Amino acid sequence: MARPDLPDPEPSLRLAEWLAGPRGRLLRRAQIGQRRRVLEVGCGHGFVTEELVRRVPGQVVALDRDIRPAASRGVPGAQLVRADAAALPFGDASFGLVLFQNTLLWVSDPRVAIEEATRVLLPRGCLLAIEPDFGGMIEYPPEIALQDVWLRALAACGADPLIGRKLPGMCERTGLEVWTELQGFPQPVGETTTGLLRGLPLTDHDETRVCRAEERLASRSGTWEPFVHVPYFLIAATKR
C-alpha cells in the first residue's frame, strides 16, 4: 500500500463504524453541539468528517497530509486542508475542538502534534484522541495469535504500536487537563483483521504466520471461537 496508515475505503469505513460508539461518547463529553469550529487531524477518506459535519453547528476543517482520498469521495460541508499534524497552518486559539482518531499512531513525533493541537485550541477547548495500544492485545486460541507480527510490522512503518498508553502523559505534560478511559472491543476475528495486517510490510516468516492464522480462521466453527481484542485509549484533554 502507498500509505500503510490509510487502508482502502471499505476497511476504513468498517473501522470508523466500529469506533462509532466510543467516538460518540467522547464527542458528547466534549459538548460537540456547542463547538463552533472543529478540526479533524488525519481525516483519511473522510468518513468521520461526515459525522462531524452532521453534529457540529459551525465549521468543520478536515486536515491530512494528502487530502485526495477525502476529496475524491467528496465531503460536503467540510473544508479540506493539506498539511502536517506537526505544523498546523492555523493561528493560536482557532478551534474549540481537535480530534485525532488512529492518527497519532502514525505521527513521527506525537508530542509535537499534541503541542500544535493545544496551540490552536481556544481556552477550555478540547483535544480528543482515540488511539490503539497493540501491546495490550488479547488473542485466542494461540494458533491465531499475531501480536508480535503487528508490533514488528507497525514499527517497520515508523508507527508507534504502543501510542495509546503514552498519550495521557503526553497531554498532561502539554498542560492539558486529562480524562482517559481504556475501552475494550472484544470481537470475533474475521477477514478485516488479517486484511489490515497485510497492508503492512511483512517478512517472509511473518507472512507464513499470517497464512497459518488465516487457515485456522477459515476452519472456525463458531462466532466467538476464535476472537481478538485490541484496547483503545479514549482521551479527552481540556485546555486551561
Side-chain angles (χ1 to χ4, degrees):
M1 296 176 66
R3 285 186 58 184
D5 62 317
L6 185 62
D8 291 334
E10 185 177 348
S12 293
L13 176 59
R14 289 201 296 266
L15 185 58
E17 292 173 342
W18 184 51
L19 292 169
R23 183 174 61 248
R25 293 198 300 275
L26 265 187
L27 291 172
R28 288 191 296 274
R29 185 180 184 88
Q31 299 178 311
I32 186 66
Q34 300 178 28
R35 304 295 181 177
R36 305 303 304 178
R37 197 163 187 240
V38 170
L39 171 66
E40 180 190 5
V41 180
C43 65
H45 295 286
F47 295 118
V48 175
T49 313
E50 293 174 343
E51 177 183 348
L52 294 175
V53 169
R54 292 193 301 267
R55 302 185 66 166
V56 174
Q59 182 185 25
V60 173
V61 178
L63 178 146
D64 205 296
R65 57 192 175 93
D66 183 356
I67 61 169
R68 288 175 296 180
S72 64
R73 290 187 59 254
V75 189
Q79 177 186 354
L80 301 180
V81 174
R82 182 181 181 276
D84 192 276
L88 298 178
F90 310 108
D92 297 353
S94 299
F95 295 91
L97 186 148
V98 177
L99 171 68
F100 298 91
Q101 179 177 294
N102 289 313
T103 298
L104 293 168
L105 165 72
W106 298 99
V107 173
S108 58
D109 192 339
R111 291 170 296 183
V112 173
I114 291 171
E115 290 171 357
E116 274 291 274
T118 302
R119 177 184 65 79
V120 302
L121 278 175
L122 290 160
R124 307 312 299 172
C126 196
L127 181 156
L128 302 183
I130 306 171
E131 300 286 340
D133 192 314
F134 286 86
M137 288 181 71
I138 300 173
E139 300 166 284
Y140 179 81
E143 291 81 8
I144 61 99
L146 296 171
Q147 180 191 39
D148 60 321
V149 178
W150 276 103
L151 295 175
R152 283 192 295 273
L154 286 166
C157 294
D160 184 352
L162 307 181
I163 186 62
R165 67 187 66 183
K166 300 175 183 179
L167 287 179
M170 288 183 184
C171 291
E172 190 173 56
R173 285 190 291 275
T174 310
L176 300 171
E177 298 175 358
V178 180
W179 174 92
T180 186
E181 176 181 303
L182 184 60
Q183 180 67 49
F185 300 93
Q187 65 168 348
V189 178
E191 295 179 357
T192 301
T193 304
T194 55
L196 291 172
L197 183 54
R198 285 190 176 281
L200 304 176
L202 299 176
T203 65
D204 291 342
H205 173 71
D206 287 343
E207 177 73 26
T208 300
R209 291 270 307 280
V210 174
C211 288
R212 289 174 179 170
E214 288 175 336
E215 291 172 359
R216 175 66 177 84
L217 293 172
S219 65
R220 69 186 186 276
S221 57
T223 301
W224 285 95
E225 170 85 21
F227 79 90
V228 64
H229 161 69
V230 180
Y232 265 75
F233 277 77
L234 311 181
I235 308 290
T238 305
K239 185 173 181 179
R240 297 184 174 88

